[in-house]
Amino acid sequence: RKRIAPALIGLPTCDLAAVCRTRAELAEAFATEFGVERWYGDWRAMLADETLDVVYIATPVYLHAEQTIAAAEAGKHVLCEKPMAITAADCDRMIAACEANNVKLGIAYYRRFYPVLARVREILKSGEIGKPVIAQMNAFEYVDMNADDPRGWFLQRSKSGGGPMMDFGCHRLEVLTDLFGCVSRTESLTANVEFTDREVEDTAAVLLQFESGPCASVTVTHAAREPHDTLDIFGTKGSIHIPVLNSGTVRIKTGDVDRTESHPPHANIHQPLIEDFAEAVFDDRAPRVDGSTGRMIAAIEDQIYGRA
């Protein structure tokens, strides 16, 4: 409602043609609100709609693999929410189905399109801060949720795969792998500090060693009251600091130089992702964030949660 529908409606290359939700009356209400012609209460019926070219899958994580494979077999291109699936093995099945049916597969890691991260890539490539040594990311969001919440499936390990490290930690893992490449070693811990009766953790931390050299840490929690969304990179000649990743402000420190730049994201942070995916379909190329990205993050999550 806030991002995806406006992005699809706002792009001249796309039409928002149909929506689906288990409760058909809510699908109908959504369709009426956004001027969508068709709505469904059964996703299988929606996939049988031959007028549809692409589906955006925004269901609970445990459904992603089944629905992506079915969409591919129905000849639909797929843009799937993150995390791609609960396990890397499920990701492999999704990738294979899309390749076998010659359809595109994209994963909704929209931060890949943040101008501030493009600027960080430029700075790292330029050598301005020297060789990157340490990167740190914190993502704290207080979430007091119970099983009766409409999104209560987040608390069920079989449906979500895990707590905040699966939910929004995956975004930070994607940022770091985009900046530094493949991970060679992972050490992690998960804990329930505040919400001790949850199936999934409320707090987690992971240490990463990248094949390219740098080490990194990602710390996430649903239990801390003070929100955080930070990225800090320390190199042999200087450092990069983003105090709020979603704001676009970045501070660069090298020797006596200390400057601040502003590179804010698009007003609709999903729109660049969706625009790239639509162009990938038209141009018959891979989307910038494809199944291999989603699979890489899922493999790290497998190690964090002991599924590897």
Side-chain angles (χ1 to χ4, degrees):
R1 175 170 275 105
K2 291 189 294 184
R3 298 174 184 173
I4 306 305
L8 291 171
I9 292 169
L11 288 175
T13 53
C14 298
D15 289 316
L16 181 52
V19 295
C20 180
R21 188 166 177 170
T22 303
R23 292 177 58 185
E25 73 276 12
L26 295 179
E28 181 180 5
F30 185 96
T32 300
E33 179 180 353
F34 288 96
V36 181
E37 293 182 1
R38 297 182 298 287
W39 59 89
Y40 296 89
D42 184 334
W43 60 268
R44 295 172 182 83
M46 183 174 174
L47 292 183
D49 186 338
E50 295 182 355
T51 69
L52 303 179
D53 303 303
V54 181
V55 293
Y56 183 97
I57 295 177
T59 52
V61 184
Y62 77 104
L63 295 171
H64 289 180
E66 177 187 8
Q67 293 175 337
T68 294
I69 292 167
E73 291 174 347
K76 318 296 186 190
H77 303 286
V78 179
L79 181 55
C80 182
E81 257 300 338
K82 60 78 206 166
M84 181 174 169
I86 289 182
T87 67
D90 281 342
C91 295
D92 289 335
R93 294 168 52 227
M94 295 161 73
I95 292 168
C98 290
E99 290 179 347
N101 291 280
N102 196 31
V103 296
K104 308 299 180 188
L105 174 60
I107 311 301
Y109 285 115
Y110 58 83
R111 285 178 174 83
R112 177 72 66 90
F113 299 89
Y114 275 14
V116 70
L117 291 176
R119 180 66 180 127
V120 169
R121 288 191 289 269
E122 290 178 354
I123 294 168
L124 292 174
K125 185 176 181 180
S126 73
E128 182 178 355
I129 69 162
K131 183 178 181 179
V133 178
I134 292 284
Q136 299 172 331
M137 298 193 79
N138 292 327
F140 305 164
E141 179 183 344
Y142 190 80
V143 178
D144 186 1
M145 182 189 297
N146 58 52
D148 296 329
D149 189 281
R151 303 177 77 194
W153 63 268
F154 276 109
L155 305 181
Q156 300 177 51
R157 185 178 298 276
S158 63
K159 294 184 177 181
S160 65
M165 188 59 81
M166 280 290 286
D167 181 21
F168 50 76
C170 65
H171 271 296
R172 279 73 195 173
L173 297 173
E174 190 280 323
V175 167
L176 292 171
T177 56
D178 181 48
L179 294 176
F180 302 120
C182 295
V183 172
S184 59
R185 183 182 176 190
T186 302
E187 300 287 343
S188 63
L189 63 84
T190 61
N192 289 83
V193 179
E194 172 70 8
F195 304 108
T196 56
D197 58 344
R198 287 186 179 179
E199 286 185 23
V200 299
E201 85 281 358
D202 65 23
T203 302
V206 60
L207 300 175
L208 307 167
Q209 171 81 58
F210 289 89
E211 292 178 0
S212 60
C215 296
S217 65
V218 177
T219 308
V220 298
T221 186
H222 279 164
R225 286 283 181 176
E226 181 179 343
H228 269 247
D229 184 19
T230 61
L231 169 60
D232 299 280
I233 302 172
F234 300 88
T236 55
K237 296 180 181 179
S239 58
I240 301 169
H241 306 274
I242 300 178
V244 181
L245 187 59
N246 288 340
S247 75
T249 298
V250 58
R251 183 181 181 190
I252 304 100
K253 300 172 68 176
T254 52
D256 295 331
V257 177
D258 187 339
R259 71 181 188 277
T260 299
E261 301 176 3
S262 180
H263 305 278
H266 193 284
N268 181 339
I269 55 179
H270 274 74
Q271 185 151 329
L273 168 89
I274 293 173
E275 187 168 6
D276 174 78
F277 190 81
E279 290 174 357
V281 171
F282 282 114
D283 297 343
D284 192 23
R285 63 167 174 83
R288 279 186 60 189
V289 188
D290 62 10
S292 65
T293 297
R295 200 260 183 215
M296 179 184 293
I297 305 310
I300 298 171
E301 297 275 17
D302 278 351
Q303 295 181 39
I304 292 170
Y305 289 101
R307 295 190 287 256

